[in-house]
Amino acid sequence: MATKTKLHPRNQHSEGYDFERLVAQTPELEAFTILNPSGQATIDFQNSDAVRMLNRALLKTHYDIDFWDIPAGYLCPPIPGRVDYVHYLADLLADSNNQEIPRGRHVKVLDIGTGASLVYPLTGQSEYGWHFTGVDIDAGAIKSAKQICEFNKLAITVRRQHKRENIFRGAIQPKDRFHLTMCNPPFHGSTEKANKGTQRKWANLGKGRSTKLNFGGQNAELWCPGGEIKFIARMVEQSVEFSNQCLWFTSLVSKKDNLRPLHRILKRARVTEYRVVDMAQGQKTSRFIAWTYKTKKQRSLFAKRD
């Protein structure tokens, strides 16, 4: 078992992958299992089929997801890092609830760009019983997400966003109330930049030139005009309209250098409070920003209402 350091204390994967247990639950994983130089079981993370099979085993073993698959070419996210975001969001809610994590379906979460994998709703509903609404602009991702829900008999709401320029508009309906919104925004500003990022990744791995991504990704998942900073700026702008319907708005921020301009953008939006929450997965450091338009008293009342 390779140890995963610095994951959230409640993360089920902090001690690494128990391949014996995973293979027992998902025998198909055995065909992709290899030994690393230290003699520990692992997979070839440059093999997209192996990564997808590992995710299937992890979701079945740890999150009671009997069926999971995604179409070829769609983003296949690493589970430990993704579920870390969910656990830190639970801590954020606990701050408004006398340090007790609110659990159950009365807690509503909006996942912007839920993807074909539906990874945040699947892990979040399993860990905390929250009700998720997943939104995506890609028709193929929506079809895949709905199939996962149907096969596993999960009451997760899946909605299609039809306008690329909209984030919360069209996703949040008049009667909706959300304790949290979450998002893993597109990282790159163009197809060319996305391809260059892929080349750098493979060069760092010593694999030369390749356009293949082991974790996949469609255009809407990898890039948007202006990249991450423009996407989050638009998110902040639209969040003002829904300040009464949401307790905390949040988004992952891949580039640390984007925090300073985002701070200015949030200040102009006159948010009541703004936080940066650091997360670490092994050698990688990530973070998300969270902002709210509600006072501490209003947050406490919102958190307690069913």
Side-chain angles (χ1 to χ4, degrees), residues 19 35 54-56 69 73 76 79 81 96 104-106 136 170 220 227 257 262 292:
F19 274 86
L35 295 180
L54 175 61
N55 274 11
R56 184 181 300 172
D69 200 7
C76 185
I79 302 297
S96 303
R105 290 184 60 79
H106 74 280
D136 207 287
D257 291 344
L262 286 173
T292 183

Side-chain angles (χ1 to χ4, degrees), residues 221-240:
E221 296 175 305
L222 299 176
W223 74 273
C224 69
E228 176 180 80
I229 186 69
K230 291 294 185 182
F231 188 94
I232 301 176
R234 192 160 69 248
M235 186 184 299
V236 173
E237 176 190 352
Q238 292 187 16
S239 72
V240 178

Side-chain angles (χ1 to χ4, degrees), residues 26 45 56 70 121 159 219 289 297:
T26 308
F45 284 94
R56 184 181 300 172
I70 57 173
R159 295 175 182 169
N219 284 340
I289 58 170
K297 183 177 180 180

Side-chain angles (χ1 to χ4, degrees), residues 161-172:
Q161 172 62 270
H162 293 280
K163 295 185 177 180
R164 184 172 294 275
E165 66 273 16
N166 284 346
I167 297 176
F168 296 123
R169 295 168 188 159
I172 299 178

